[in-house]
Amino acid sequence: MEPVYVIGCGAVGVPLMACLAAAGRPVIGVRASEEDAPEQTVTVPVTVADQALDLPLQTVGIGRLGEIKGPVVIATKAHANAALARRLAPLVSGPVIIMQNGLGVERPFVEAGFQEIYRSVLYVVSEGDLKKGFRFRAVTPSPVGVVTGTQERLQACLAALHTVGFPLRAEADIQREAWTKTIINCVFNAVCPLLEVDNSLFSKHEEARDLARKIVTEGVTLANRLGIPVEVEALMERVLKISANSTQAISTLQDLRENRETEIDYLNLELARIAAALEPPASLPITETLGRMIALKSRLGRGTGGAG
């Protein structure tokens, strides 16, 4: 059995590795930001749905990779995709599975000519780091669909990656799923980090729910104009369900607290770009403004905010 290569040893990659290792499947974690990290075995505390999976995991720096025939999972932040696609293109002959939320995350891999690309939409909550360990929970099985490839090969990928702790399912209309989750994330990943509160905000405060509805309405209006069938009430129901069942800090808030680059470019700001490119152009004033505030807060935190 070819090992699964998981690119990115973070809040998605490490729990995925731990679940695969616990299921007895070969897996190698690739440190995307550490070119020459030697092959080593690390034990990272990982709690998946209250079960401790403190298993030895094999890792290696991305600069030490050779030819890869087995599945490759992209579990980094989406802003790394362009560089990763260029780096992996001459090495990978098997399927690439992108485990990221947002719109357009698969574009660099399509442009780089990968033959088999599948993407997921993640319904998980996870926090932690390599030093402290990770706490991970799957909210519901995460859908995975075809970008380029076949349904038969998609099923083979799911057979290699699906576990009880990190469940996956096949999805025929992955773009609709991506839009649905992106619009939902435009609510959580913009409002909660700016207010520095956890995900439960919208289930507790009417003003927050009103703001969420305005963001959702902007996103749904854009999606419907593009022929993507999503509905405001259905998405609001999901926003409130997530909010009522989670007191965890959203990933963007975790990134801001650690002075890391966020993925807001693939959420609020990507929707704004899509809207502006239409003919005639559309605008998403609330969604875009909140996204720009997150982007500025991120730059300021990383010392790249500029002057004037």
Side-chain angles (χ1 to χ4, degrees), residues 86-104:
R86 290 192 298 270
R87 188 64 178 273
L88 294 172
L91 304 177
V92 175
S93 58
V96 170
I97 303 94
I98 303 169
M99 287 194 170
Q100 298 166 341
N101 289 327
L103 294 180

Side-chain angles (χ1 to χ4, degrees), residues 130-184:
L130 284 172
K131 293 181 179 179
K132 300 175 184 177
F134 295 90
R135 294 189 63 85
F136 175 90
R137 177 173 61 87
V139 177
T140 190
S142 293
V144 187
V146 176
V147 178
T148 60
T150 66
Q151 290 294 327
E152 181 180 4
R153 291 287 289 166
L154 170 61
Q155 292 298 331
C157 291
L158 293 178
L161 297 175
H162 169 84
T163 61
V164 173
F166 202 132
L168 304 170
R169 65 174 179 82
E171 171 57 50
D173 191 352
I174 195 62
Q175 285 305 316
R176 181 176 183 274
E177 285 285 340
W179 272 83
T180 295
K181 188 60 162 54
T182 297
I183 294 169
I184 291 171

